[in-house]
Amino acid sequence: MEEIIPDKRIDIRGLKCPYTFVRSKLAIEQMNTGEVLEVLLNYPEASVSIPKSMQDHGQRVLSVDKINDTDWIILIRKERD
Amino acid sequence: MEFNGGQFTDDQIIRYSRHIILPEVGGKGQAMIASAKVFLIGAGGLGCPISYYLTAAGVGRIAIVDDDVVDLSNLQRQILHSTKTVGMPKVESAKAVLNALNPDVEIIAIKDRLTPQNILGFIKDYDIVIDGSDNFPTRYLVNDACVLANKPLSSGAVLRFEGQVTTIIPGEGHCYRCLFEEMPPEGLVPSCQEGGVLGVLPGIIGTLQAMEVLKLILGKGDVLKNTLLIYDALRTNFRKVRVPKNLDCPVCGENPTITALCSSYEANYCSA
Ligand SMILES: [Zn+2]
């Protein structure tokens, strides 16, 4: 599978909900349609809620990966403003 | 309030987080709220909740005009004022509370009486006008000024147990004179001072006006254009009455007779 290279990365480790989503949403708002955002986070609930909320807002979640004991990486492609 | 090209401070992100997470608002909508300038008439029963919520929402600049001072009898409904500020100009009493709530918002306190001579100068630099006055001469003056200056206007009124709200978009919808062409004769309609009002009522009508203003700023949803919303508090009933634009309206109709503000709105009939 082809590796996806994010257009923007944010590190929101240490943040809890709803600020995990607030930060992710602000980041994706400033991107262009078609670009990919990488979100690095360590708040377990957000690994589920961010993908769900992003989909509710019309964005496409490409992957959710647990990369070590504490952290997740989520890749989201911006589909709409 | 500045967002440095879309960048919020950490505190602003936290303060406005419940706005930002709404799909209809987001960071872009919050930035629109932050750059909006509104002009509010009255720091009384309606003006207090209107300015309280718009300040909380982070509206960039709010000017408030009122020439009155706080009276003990105001405190049953005018929630920005307090026992300690009795005797103080209402706009100063209000400004202190609003500044404490949200230092992002620029509050401009104007202790003055609104007149046909000063209103157009006051509103020209603002995006939206909000009428929270309690008398007919001011309501007609504000309506005519907004139609002539092409400014969106949120208008509210309360009496006893009934409130009314409407949103006037000059050039698109009705205006207050389409609804009631002339002021009622003096003495026929009691003013709020005589009429009495249950204190919560201006809170409900004022917050509806604040919501209308935020929707105008965001360009989301439907505002009360061509519509009068009537709230009957005793029966807990909201009723929407359709108000078509009156083509014969003396100020916004096809052949207006009011093409400039009248010299005085104190007289019962102003048809220029
Ligand atoms: Zn009209």
Side-chain angles (χ1 to χ4, degrees), chain A residues 9-80:
Chain A
R9 294 186 162 90
I10 57 169
D11 179 355
I12 54 168
R13 285 176 297 180
L15 289 185
K16 296 180 174 181
C17 292
Y19 304 109
T20 48
F21 179 62
V22 171
R23 291 277 179 179
S24 307
K25 185 171 193 292
L26 286 173
I28 213 158
E29 271 186 29
Q30 289 170 23
M31 296 167 62
N32 297 315
T33 306
E35 290 182 339
V36 174
L37 172 69
E38 178 190 282
V39 183
L40 173 61
L41 59 93
N42 65 357
Y43 189 65
E45 197 186 306
S47 69
V48 182
S49 63
I50 286 185
K52 182 178 186 319
S53 301
M54 282 295 173
Q55 275 164 354
D56 288 348
H57 280 57
Q59 314 306 348
R60 186 185 176 112
V61 178
L62 301 176
S63 60
V64 181
D65 292 314
K66 193 157 197 294
I67 56 165
N68 56 41
D69 286 348
T70 54
D71 302 343
W72 284 261
I73 282 182
I74 303 174
L75 291 177
I76 304 151
R77 189 164 69 212
K78 180 165 180 170
E79 299 282 331
R80 46 170 276 191

Side-chain angles (χ1 to χ4, degrees), chain B residues 143 147 173-179 245-246 249-253:
Chain B
N143 177 75
V147 171
H174 77 299
C175 85
Y176 201 76
R177 282 190 193 268
C178 292
L179 196 57
K245 182 180 165 82
N246 175 10
C249 173
V251 66
C252 82

Side-chain angles (χ1 to χ4, degrees), chain B residues 173-197:
Chain B
H174 77 299
C175 85
Y176 201 76
R177 282 190 193 268
C178 292
L179 196 57
F180 308 108
E181 192 168 315
E182 301 291 349
M183 267 182 251
E186 217 169 330
L188 190 76
V189 174
S191 67
C192 273
Q193 288 96 317
E194 302 159 354
V197 58

Side-chain angles (χ1 to χ4, degrees), chain B residues 102-132:
Chain B
N102 190 348
D104 287 344
V105 178
E106 184 187 358
I107 303 292
I108 297 176
I110 305 168
K111 185 183 185 303
D112 205 345
R113 193 177 166 73
L114 208 58
T115 67
Q117 289 71 39
N118 66 18
I119 185 170
L120 291 170
F122 278 144
I123 66 175
K124 82 172 153 41
D125 296 325
Y126 291 84
D127 307 314
I128 298 168
V129 177
I130 312 163
D131 188 3

Side-chain angles (χ1 to χ4, degrees), chain B residues 205-220:
Chain B
I205 299 301
T207 48
L208 282 167
Q209 286 184 268
M211 182 64 94
E212 290 286 289
V213 169
L214 285 178
K215 288 189 300 178
L216 282 172
I217 293 170
L218 293 166
K220 296 288 179 190

Side-chain angles (χ1 to χ4, degrees), chain B residues 48-95:
Chain B
C48 284
I50 292 167
S51 56
Y52 223 154
Y53 271 101
L54 293 182
T55 298
V59 169
R61 180 185 298 168
I62 304 174
I64 311 173
V65 63
D66 198 309
D67 69 342
D68 209 358
V69 294
V70 179
D71 185 86
L72 190 56
S73 67
N74 301 150
L75 303 184
Q76 150 264 23
R77 65 195 180 285
Q78 301 184 14
I79 55 170
L80 286 173
H81 313 308
S82 70
T83 314
K84 279 184 187 162
T85 64
V86 168
M88 188 188 283
K90 283 187 182 178
V91 290
E92 294 301 332
S93 169
K95 182 183 168 131

